[in-house]
Amino acid sequence: MPKAVSLLSALLYLAVLSDSTGAWRIWGQKGSHMSDGSSFFCCRGGGEAVLTKSSQQLGGGHDGDDHHDGEISDREMRVLQDIDRFMTKTAQTSASVVQENPLVVPIRWEDVEEAINDLTSSTGSHQFVVNEKEPQNSDRATTAWSFLRGLAQSDTFLTEFWHQRPLLIRAAEMPSTSWVDGIFTLEHDLKEGVDNSYIAGHKTADVLRNGTKTDTWLLEPMRPVSSQGRSTASVASTTTSWSDVQDALQGGTIYFNTAGSLWPSLGALCRLVMYAFGLPTNCNVYVTPPGCTVSVPPHTDRQDVLVLQTEGYKRWRIFSPPERQPGGRDPLDRGKQGDVLTIENLGQPLVDTIVGPGDVLYVPVGFPHTTDTLNTNECNGHATNQKASVHLTMGLDTHVWMITMAHLRWALLQRCGLDFKIIFENDDDYWKAIETLPIGFLARRLQSPSVPPGGNCWQSTVESLLQGNGLTDEYLDLVANELEGLLIELEPNRWEMDNSNHGNQKTPLPSRQEMKDCISYMIDTHWKSLLDSQADLSKVDPNPSSKEEAIIKAFQGTQNQDLIMERFAIFCKSEAMAKMYAERRMLAKSKTHGLY
């Protein structure tokens, strides 16, 4: 197979990876069992969990407490104050990387400094305006790191926004977001990175662009590919040209998945987000010309997303999760692959606003959203230029890599040979079950009796992991308590509490040791492996020896991530899942024969 075709196959594999990874179903559904009992969702109405959140949980929708243009809610103001206090404190303490606040991941400070240096060197020629709240020796990278840590350490963000409601931080309201403005632009970064390279993107399908369909997300390669895998545009031209990008931008959105593995600046930014939040992070780039009626149609994602608007303007509408009809689709994958999700059925949006350069937007997992650039000539009361919109989506990938309480439950029951199928009668139980494991910045939710109020035992656990000693006993006990509580809350009539089992049909709870074994693997092995793999994938050589180097490394990195998932499946004793990931790795390898 020619090397160019192998590269093309690798790029296509990379482009669809983030849409296909982590879709393994862990609740069970009648009539669709796999060979080892792994199957799809089974919930009320014979489909998936009915995914709704009450108006009380969502802050009552448009009750005057959500973010509208020109006004800031009290809870949003508290987040801004939390960030500002953290950034002010770190700026006053040290002019360099501040180590007073411990890291939430088992890495060395040298790793953080390396990412900061990489971001600085790869964005050094970008103009960056230092505002009056920042020390004069600030640069874009240290400001970015300080802002991200401030957001992650905000108690208000953790308790009132994470998985509960969107958050919009305007550059005009929070000058410390000025690092976002221009960090990745169309002319400087995209053009220089893509032109005459093997980086290939995707574009929205023609049926979206011409208005034939506007209610489901359809995509296609930026350059057409025939069934034989060769570009129909030109067999001789295997690289992407800037004219390819310009052509694809006519009338619709283009985007580049796993961009953190292809651009040095985005790789460094991925690492900083991951080190601040303690969660595997992926970056996608979206570019939309002005005047698009639909940039992307209403859909949901299985990632929590930080949107960084780096150039131009875009309208965002974000809605509360809809109720599912019987036989409905995965609530975290709505509006894709033919599934229809219409604005008319979503009700009043929680957010309907124009996002501009320097703005930061948090979109919780499972919250439908849609974007356009049709009427973006005004933003926050000011006239705008009509440049193309460029934004980065920093995906905090927890459901993708199965590091949620729901996946911990599934792993435990799968390993114990117990039925993991469940019917959700209470929709709130579903949301509670899919909460992320108490890792990284989320470990603060654990209440430890031996730690003063406001603290947690995560830091001693991080130190123990760094030293190769595994999770601390105290942390294991706290997570086991949370897991046991979830098991009982989801199925109170299933479990025998005192193991007496006097003639009843209840099942004894899995033992504490079985719980701790699963917790230890999920965090000490699985989570740490994902962090290491993502960090390596995000270290992009700014001066590669060949055009193929970044693509080859990115492909190898994603193959390694599939291997991590295969090993996780083996630990969980899920033969079907292990087989799926093994076959996917082998198929990708066969299609890229001769690439490396």
Side-chain angles (χ1 to χ4, degrees), residues 5-22 198 200-202 219 221 225 229 256-258 261-262 282 284 401 537 551-566 580-593 595-596:
V5 178
S6 297
L7 283 164
L8 183 58
S9 298
L11 283 165
L12 294 176
Y13 173 76
L14 291 172
V16 301
L17 182 69
S18 62
D19 292 328
S20 59
T21 301
Y198 284 109
H202 272 60
L219 59 95
V225 177
F256 299 83
N257 283 355
T258 62
S261 63
L262 302 173
N282 177 61
N284 295 341
W401 302 120
L537 187 63
I551 304 301
I552 293 172
K553 182 180 178 184
F555 176 74
Q556 291 171 333
T558 53
Q559 285 284 79
N560 181 55
Q561 289 174 332
D562 271 358
L563 180 59
I564 292 172
M565 297 304 294
E566 182 183 342
M580 181 195 75
Y581 277 104
E583 289 179 347
R584 191 165 82 165
R585 285 193 306 109
M586 293 302 103
L587 179 62
K589 186 175 181 179
S590 67
K591 287 186 175 182
T592 54
H593 178 70
L595 177 58
Y596 63 94

Side-chain angles (χ1 to χ4, degrees), residues 500-538:
S500 57
N501 201 9
H502 298 304
N504 60 43
Q505 300 300 313
K506 290 188 175 182
T507 304
L509 273 170
S511 70
R512 293 286 286 194
Q513 189 57 52
E514 289 170 324
M515 294 183 189
K516 290 181 179 180
D517 288 345
C518 281
I519 295 167
S520 292
Y521 185 90
M522 288 278 282
I523 298 174
D524 190 14
T525 300
H526 185 59
W527 174 67
K528 280 181 58 182
S529 296
L530 290 169
L531 294 183
D532 291 343
S533 176
Q534 190 67 53
D536 182 67
L537 187 63
S538 301

